[in-house]
Amino acid sequence: MPIDADTKVGRLAAIFELLRAVESITVSELASLSGLSRPTVSALLGSLEERGLAVSGEPETVGAGRPAASWSLAPRAGYVLGVDVLRSTVLLSVARLDGAVVHAEFHHLPSQLGAERFVTLEKVLRAVADRHTDLGPLRAVTVSTTGTVDGEGVILRSTSVPDWEGFPLGERLSQVLGLPVRVENDINAAAYGEFTARWASGAMRPDDDLVYVHVAAGIVTGVVLGGAIHRGTAFNAGEFGLRLGSDYSEGEESTVQQVWQSLGAIAAVLDPSAIVISTTAPGHAVPRLRRYLAEHLEASAPTHHYEPALLGQASATVGALSLALADAQADVVGYRTARPHHPSGLERLTALIADGSHTSAEPGEASAARKLRVGVVGVGARSTILAHTELPHNNAEVVAACDPLPDTPERLEERTGIDPARVAISDNLDDFLNNDLDAAVITSPDDTHAEIACRLLEAGVAVYLEKPIAIEMEGATRILETAYRTGTRLYVGHNMRHMGVVRSMRDLIRKGTIGEVKAVWCRHFVGHGGDFYFKDWHADRRHSNGLLLQKAAHDIDVMNWLTDSHATRVAGMGGLTLYGDVEDRQDRSGQIMQTWFSMDNWPPLSHKGLNPVVDVEDLSMFNAEMASGAYVSYQQCHYTPDYWRNYTVIGTEGRLENFGDGEGGHIKLWNKRSDYNPDGDAQFPIHGDANGHDDADILTMTEFLDFVRNGTPTDTSPLGAWYAVATAIEATDSIRDRSMPRDIPELPQELVAYFEKHQVR
């Protein structure tokens, strides 16, 4: 290995690269391979160990003499993300710093709407990053995407997604992930992926040239010069802008002529080591091109090496990973070597793209997957989430609805925009289940959840269950047991795990910004509580149990997520302190909340038409001890003038607090000792959720349908939903029993293990 002996960082990078290439190695072996002295190697290993990048193992005795200590890359040295964003799909891969791919997953994207597209991309990137913290810190991210991309990661032009033209993708993703994100044109990334694959096989030198040609409905090229992507002064290097027409067939001689004429000039000027041909169409592009050249070229013409792509549709993702690995090395040791970084374990990627779903083909060129058939039970206030099932990237359609009320067709159209004429509407589950459903969304009243969910799970219909999972412990546990026994997929709609404020706070916690979490305090100002919960069945504990369950289930789930734990003991306090004094009552059976909601209903004692039965608390609070040793505190009031949530998270090295819980709000961090400091030591903007939790609803529904179709692990958890319900129920019972503390029951270990593994046995 060539060593830059004049710089310490060059030598450090050389030792780091050698560690990346082997499972373990001794100081003597490193000295021999690098040409450095043993003392120098030992000092460099010590530096890498201090940075958390290297660890020494047990000494190995080799013959006579003192045993030699072995060294290896640290298990938590970190990881990188490689991401390929096409017109309607995204392929993500995770690799350790040694280049080994440990995870890959595939998602559908909204194809044309820029805002929805970014929200979905942000969600899947956050989710993947959250699930791999056991590998250490995220070190680098590279995204390949369609369109012309400048050096700052701004999409200058995009014919596939015009709505993304001018979008600062690199900057926005950097804000989301908390580190610089490189963005490359997908053809350039594919060219680099093919280059590193050939370098890894010994077919190319680190400073060789390669031209990558992708032939589909048009001809596009990527160029690697001297081992680096060549972008051009206006980032248009290799762009011919040549379309082959709708009748394109790579077997036609006219097409081969066009390909060769396009390549002739660039091949003559660059004289690359290889010209790689990639195509989405069936056939054998490279043999046909070679035959054409053999027939038409002069005998004295220079020979160029035309080769088929080695990586297929995975080439851009591999290129993104290779670039991310190079960026990671530059970050951790401060030096970028000339040697390419090619990932290993690519079978995870190739398996995902084997069915042809992840493709750069134009609409209609690739076969579409079958649409999922979805039904809904309960067309009430929360049925609005049903509309998100039919977003283009979800590839699903609503075919059935079940609700006993006679105006269900009208409410379905009004609440979701779905034409009821194409939906089979029934008033009972028997008829509902006769519609060949893949999945069903349950937004019926809370006290019906257990019966309906278990019935659908028994029938093999995947379930999206609006929170809370149930209103009593027996029903909540029965739902989990049924899902476990039948193997039918269960999803609970705790959409706040996808809200920007929650995800940002969790990201900051996972980065170690405040150390180990010791306390979470949540204040929920339910300013619309009179309209939302005291004019229908929610106000009657027979149907809702209590509003700690209805409202706090969300916040309990969030606090559990932020602490990576759950409550083991809880004590509550509260009462019906205001709405019990409102005497104006009305039976609103058959109505939904939107018919009576008004911001003019103020002050709270002026409300009219409360539910005939009002026996739930309007002011509630509880304290809980967590399994992790942390403590949480929650307070909820249903007659405040304002409506928002405030979380304070305290750790061993600082605290976080949000001000506002949607777009325009911000999170403050205090991590330096001070007196009163209203601005904090740092502030982080909250992105998304400009319209309440609509953004989170889109992400939650997308995650559910992806789980149904592909089994992709989810951020929400039925197990977490059960813990939230258990805490809320026990806290409510404590309130009604003179605040006596309650222990949270335990689930059978086989259920816990099943849902922790994302419902895989």
Side-chain angles (χ1 to χ4, degrees):
M1 170 179 291
I3 298 294
D4 185 347
D6 294 330
T7 63
K8 179 180 178 180
V9 291
R11 295 191 292 271
L12 190 68
I15 298 302
F16 178 71
E17 285 197 344
L18 287 171
L19 283 178
R20 289 179 62 244
V22 296
E23 289 188 9
S24 65
I25 193 169
T26 65
V27 173
S28 295
E29 291 168 335
L30 285 170
S32 175
L33 290 170
S34 66
L36 299 172
S37 68
R38 284 177 54 89
T40 299
V41 170
S42 295
L44 294 171
L45 287 169
S47 178
L48 292 172
E49 186 175 32
E50 289 176 0
R51 303 180 190 201
L53 300 174
V55 292
S56 58
E58 292 296 324
E60 297 179 1
T61 302
V62 182
R66 190 171 57 186
S70 62
W71 286 82
S72 60
L73 198 67
R76 289 182 50 80
Y79 67 101
V80 302
L81 294 181
V83 186
D84 185 32
V85 182
L86 295 181
R87 185 184 60 83
S88 58
T89 56
V90 57
L91 184 62
L92 303 94
S93 54
V94 178
R96 300 193 304 257
L97 292 194
D98 63 0
V101 176
V102 296
H103 177 75
E105 61 184 64
F106 166 85
H107 297 272
H108 290 279
L109 285 177
S111 59
Q112 297 298 327
L113 301 178
E116 288 181 12
R117 184 179 173 84
F118 180 76
V119 167
T120 303
L121 180 60
E122 174 189 4
K123 173 258 174 182
V124 297
L125 282 173
R126 284 180 182 269
V128 169
D130 286 349
R131 289 198 297 272
H132 290 88
T133 55
D134 60 316
L135 299 176
L138 176 59
R139 300 290 191 179
V141 180
T142 297
V143 176
S144 78
T145 186
T146 55
T148 303
V149 182
D150 73 6
E152 302 299 320
V154 177
I155 299 175
L156 301 178
R157 289 176 298 281
S158 176
T159 56
S160 296
V161 189
D163 201 35
W164 252 14
E165 291 188 357
F167 187 70
L169 182 59
E171 177 186 348
R172 289 295 301 275
L173 288 178
S174 295
Q175 293 173 352
V176 169
L177 297 174
L179 78 168
V181 174
R182 181 202 288 247
V183 181
E184 293 285 353
N185 164 265
D186 60 334
I187 301 302
N188 286 342
Y192 194 73
E194 291 289 336
F195 169 76
T196 64
R198 284 163 173 76
W199 167 81
S201 69
M204 281 192 165
R205 299 185 304 271
D207 59 349
D208 268 342
D209 304 331
L210 176 144
V211 174
Y212 175 86
V213 184
H214 184 69
V215 183
I219 300 173
V220 290
T221 65
V223 181
V224 175
L225 294 181
I229 293 173
H230 178 65
R231 301 174 183 84
T233 56
F235 311 100
N236 287 316
E239 289 292 335
F240 289 106
L242 175 63
R243 295 190 67 82
L244 297 177
S246 58
D247 59 346
Y248 153 65
S249 169
E250 68 167 36
E252 296 178 3
E253 182 171 337
S254 59
T255 298
V256 178
Q257 282 183 313
Q258 286 180 287
V259 173
W260 167 243
Q261 290 166 0
S262 299
L263 290 178
I266 195 168
V269 171
L270 295 180
D271 190 21
S273 301
I275 298 176
V276 177
I277 311 294
S278 169
T279 179
T280 58
H284 306 282
V286 173
R288 291 178 186 276
L289 181 58
R290 284 175 176 159
R291 285 198 297 270
Y292 177 86
L293 296 176
E295 294 171 3
H296 294 84
L297 282 180
E298 297 287 345
S300 59
T303 300
H304 294 293
H305 297 282
Y306 296 93
E307 305 172 4
L310 297 176
L311 303 171
Q313 198 61 50
S315 56
T317 312
V318 172
L321 275 175
S322 300
L323 292 165
L325 288 167
D327 289 344
Q329 177 181 291
D331 174 60
V332 299
V333 299
Y335 189 91
R336 188 183 300 274
T337 61
R339 290 164 56 86
H341 295 70
H342 185 68
S344 60
L346 298 182
E347 61 275 2
R348 295 176 184 271
L349 288 174
T350 55
L352 277 179
I353 63 173
D355 66 352
S357 298
H358 186 65
T359 176
S360 58
E362 294 293 329
E365 290 184 331
S367 59
R370 181 183 69 85
K371 282 190 174 183
L372 292 177
R373 294 173 59 83
V374 180
V376 61
V377 181
V379 187
R382 278 295 286 161
S383 64
T384 52
I385 61 176
L386 196 66
H388 306 318
T389 64
E390 297 197 344
L391 291 173
H393 64 280
N394 283 332
N395 198 26
E397 60 180 340
V398 177
V399 299
C402 181
D403 195 302
L405 295 178
D407 65 338
T408 295
E410 292 78 10
R411 283 189 287 113
L412 180 66
E413 185 169 23
E414 178 185 349
R415 304 297 299 148
T416 70
I418 293 171
D419 181 3
R422 64 176 176 83
V423 177
I425 296 176
S426 57
D427 60 4
N428 65 89
L429 288 178
D430 289 332
D431 291 342
F432 177 73
L433 287 171
N434 286 329
N435 288 287
D436 191 25
L437 298 173
D438 297 300
V441 179
I442 300 175
T443 57
S444 57
D446 298 351
D447 59 331
T448 68
H449 283 186
E451 178 184 353
I452 295 171
C454 289
R455 180 78 184 278
L456 296 179
L457 292 168
E458 293 281 4
V461 177
V463 167
Y464 179 114
L465 180 58
E466 180 65 0
K467 66 84 198 166
I469 190 170
I471 68 167
E472 32 75 36
M473 292 306 305
E474 185 277 331
T477 303
R478 180 157 52 94
I479 291 173
L480 264 60
E481 290 173 339
T482 304
Y484 173 74
R485 176 171 48 79
T486 62
T488 308
R489 287 172 175 163
L490 170 66
Y491 186 97
V492 183
H494 275 293
N495 56 6
M496 285 190 64
R497 291 197 182 195
H498 292 293
M499 287 184 67
V501 60
V502 174
R503 299 192 76 88
S504 294
M505 295 184 88
R506 179 157 169 85
D507 288 347
L508 289 166
I509 291 168
R510 286 194 166 186
K511 291 173 184 175
T513 311
I514 61 171
E516 181 184 355
V517 174
K518 292 296 185 181
V520 182
W521 304 337
C522 176
R523 298 178 299 162
H524 192 5
F525 310 105
V526 193
H528 303 335
D531 285 302
F532 281 3
Y533 302 111
F534 285 87
K535 296 182 179 180
D536 65 2
W537 56 268
H538 293 91
D540 187 339
R541 65 176 63 176
R542 293 174 301 176
H543 301 299
S544 66
N545 190 315
L547 297 183
L548 263 184
L549 180 63
Q550 170 58 227
K551 288 301 288 177
H554 264 323
D555 295 298
I556 295 169
D557 184 60
V558 168
M559 292 190 292
N560 289 352
W561 208 42
L562 295 180
T563 58
D564 273 329
S565 189
H566 62 273
T568 57
R569 189 168 176 80
V570 63
M573 183 175 288
L576 181 59
T577 61
L578 185 145
Y579 289 114
D581 296 334
V582 177
E583 296 181 355
D584 192 280
R585 306 294 177 92
Q586 179 181 344
D587 184 356
R588 297 182 182 270
S589 300
Q591 300 181 36
I592 58 175
M593 183 270 296
Q594 282 75 12
T595 62
W596 64 74
F597 177 85
S598 173
M599 294 294 285
D600 295 331
N601 293 332
W602 184 262
L605 285 171
S606 69
H607 271 286
K608 304 292 184 182
L610 266 60
N611 194 59
V613 176
V614 177
D615 61 358
V616 295
E617 294 78 11
D618 53 21
L619 182 68
S620 305
M621 59 196 75
F622 69 78
N623 295 321
E625 182 178 3
M626 310 296 280
S628 66
Y631 291 86
V632 302
S633 179
Y634 177 81
Q635 297 130 40
Q636 174 191 104
C637 181
H638 284 267
Y639 47 84
T640 57
D642 51 340
Y643 186 22
W644 66 292
R645 289 174 167 90
N646 171 262
Y647 296 104
T648 296
V649 187
I650 302 173
T652 55
E653 299 174 18
R655 77 176 179 94
L656 297 168
E657 186 172 354
N658 68 292
F659 294 84
D661 53 17
E663 189 80 37
H666 56 275
I667 298 165
K668 293 182 180 180
L669 164 68
W670 289 263
N671 63 355
K672 297 178 178 63
R673 191 168 182 179
S674 67
D675 293 318
Y676 177 62
N677 177 12
D679 296 326
D681 299 307
Q683 295 190 15
F684 307 90
I686 298 170
H687 295 294
D689 309 311
N691 299 308
H693 47 61
D694 286 355
D695 291 347
D697 283 341
I698 292 173
L699 295 173
T700 309
M701 186 59 69
T702 296
E703 184 176 68
F704 165 64
L705 293 172
D706 195 17
F707 178 54
V708 173
R709 179 178 280 111
N710 301 316
T712 305
T714 62
D715 280 338
T716 66
S717 164
L719 183 63
W722 186 92
Y723 283 129
V725 162
T727 303
I729 289 174
E730 297 299 338
T732 300
D733 288 348
S734 174
I735 289 174
R736 295 168 185 171
D737 188 23
R738 299 175 294 111
S739 300
M740 294 296 292
R742 300 297 178 100
D743 291 326
I744 307 300
E746 296 182 0
L747 280 170
Q749 189 54 43
E750 63 267 21
L751 286 182
V752 174
Y754 178 68
F755 289 104
E756 283 182 342
K757 294 178 181 177
H758 301 283
Q759 301 176 53
V760 175
R761 297 187 189 277

